[in-house]
């Protein structure tokens, strides 16, 4: 069964905690989005973990260097997942994976801007990555309406061991198109946060995914 990951891309801690409290019934993974991480550091992950210890927390740190240290910082306050970029060097990814596995957490590789899934996916799986995340950049989505659906279809052909996550413009109207490719994690941000009633929309997503 797929999990619903909510990308919390706001910067206000007060708004974050209000949201987490309101939708926790429906969300499996609370993602501390990159703006939240930049504005509040590890504190956001720590507070959400303490408020909802039965939920998983992902720190979207988008690590590009300092793989071990930066992973440890988030895991040690309660994050279950940390993200590192596919386009960085392999040693940084290996350090992230090692830090995560030493602490019973999972390493997520963000495949943003990755062009050669056939080559890169086996390399990453050989390193021991836990999750491969197909991701269309927010700026690309806003400028062109590009979605990750075709990339999800393509990457799925090569994934043998890792779990698959997908993010980028997923709406309740199109979520079933993504579920056809059996991703383990569906990541939604604006599709819930931008809804007139975010709690009701989170419920709709949870029902569709679960």
């Amino acid at each position: 069964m797929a999990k619903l990951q909510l990308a919390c891309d706001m910067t206000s801690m007060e708004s974050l905690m209000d949201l987490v409290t309101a939708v926790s019934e429906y969300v499996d993974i609370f993602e501390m989005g990159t703006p939240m991480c930049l504005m509040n550091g590890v504190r956001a992950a720590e507070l959400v973990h303490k408020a909802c210890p039965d939920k998983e927390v992902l720190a979207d740190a988008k690590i590009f260097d300092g793989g071990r240290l930066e992973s440890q910082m988030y895991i040690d306050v309660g994050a279950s997942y940390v993200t590192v970029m596919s386009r960085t060097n392999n040693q940084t990814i290996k350090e992230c994976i090692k830090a995560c596995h030493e602490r019973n957490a999972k390493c997520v590789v963000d495949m943003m801007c990755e062009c050669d899934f056939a080559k890169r996916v086996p390399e990453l799986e050989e390193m021991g990555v836990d999750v491969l995340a197909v991701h269309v950049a927010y700026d690309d989505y806003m400028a062109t309406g590009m979605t990750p659906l075709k990339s999800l279809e393509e990457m799925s052909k090569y994934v043998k061991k890792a779990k698959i996550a997908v993010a980028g413009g997923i709406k309740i109207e199109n979520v079933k198109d993504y579920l056809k490719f059996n991703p383990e994690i569906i990541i939604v941000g604006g599709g819930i946060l931008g809804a007139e009633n975010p709690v009701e929309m989170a419920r709709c997503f949870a029902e569709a995914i679960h």
Side-chain angles (χ1 to χ4, degrees):
M1 181 172 67
K3 294 182 178 181
L4 173 60
Q5 178 174 314
L6 177 58
C8 302
D9 286 328
M10 69 283 286
T11 58
S12 162
M13 284 295 302
E14 182 178 359
S15 297
L16 171 67
M17 299 311 297
D18 287 346
L19 176 69
V20 167
T21 301
V23 303
S24 60
E25 179 181 354
Y26 306 113
V27 173
D28 303 299
I29 303 170
F30 282 107
E31 172 190 330
M32 302 302 96
T34 309
M36 177 59 68
C37 292
L38 290 172
M39 180 65 76
N40 299 286
V42 301
R43 182 167 172 263
E46 181 177 23
L47 290 182
V48 172
H49 172 64
K50 288 180 177 178
C52 301
D54 59 326
K55 301 294 182 177
E56 295 179 305
V57 175
L58 179 145
D60 190 17
K62 290 188 173 69
I63 294 170
F64 222 89
D65 191 15
R68 172 176 285 274
L69 174 61
E70 294 184 19
S71 296
Q72 289 173 349
M73 288 166 54
Y74 285 99
I75 299 166
D76 287 349
V77 298
S80 302
Y81 305 82
V82 178
T83 64
V84 61
M85 304 306 292
S86 171
R87 302 290 281 180
T88 190
N89 64 86
N90 286 351
Q91 190 57 40
T92 293
I93 296 173
K94 290 176 182 178
E95 292 295 330
C96 288
I97 292 169
K98 187 174 182 179
C100 287
H101 290 180
E102 286 175 351
R103 288 162 166 74
N104 198 32
K106 297 179 176 65
C107 179
V108 180
V109 174
D110 188 326
M111 303 295 281
M112 187 191 299
C113 300
E114 189 58 65
C115 301
D116 191 350
F117 291 131
K119 178 177 183 292
R120 193 58 169 152
V121 167
E123 292 175 345
L124 293 167
E125 289 195 319
E126 181 65 24
M127 293 180 216
V129 65
D130 300 291
V131 183
L132 295 170
V134 176
H135 186 192
V136 167
Y138 174 80
D139 292 332
D140 274 342
Y141 172 70
M142 293 303 293
T144 69
M146 181 190 302
T147 76
L149 188 59
K150 288 185 178 180
S151 294
L152 174 62
E153 180 179 8
E154 177 67 15
M155 193 181 80
S156 297
K157 299 174 184 177
Y158 306 106
V159 177
K160 305 299 181 186
K161 294 181 286 187
K163 296 185 183 301
I164 297 175
V166 59
I170 299 176
K171 307 294 185 185
I172 194 63
E173 295 83 5
N174 63 23
V175 67
K176 289 186 177 180
D177 295 332
Y178 294 89
L179 291 171
K180 291 176 183 177
F181 298 101
N182 300 311
E184 281 81 6
I185 301 172
I186 297 287
I187 304 169
V188 182
I192 290 175
L193 302 183
E196 183 175 345
N197 186 333
V199 176
E200 176 62 17
M201 187 57 69
R203 183 190 67 79
C204 291
F205 268 104
E207 289 184 355
I209 291 169
H210 298 155

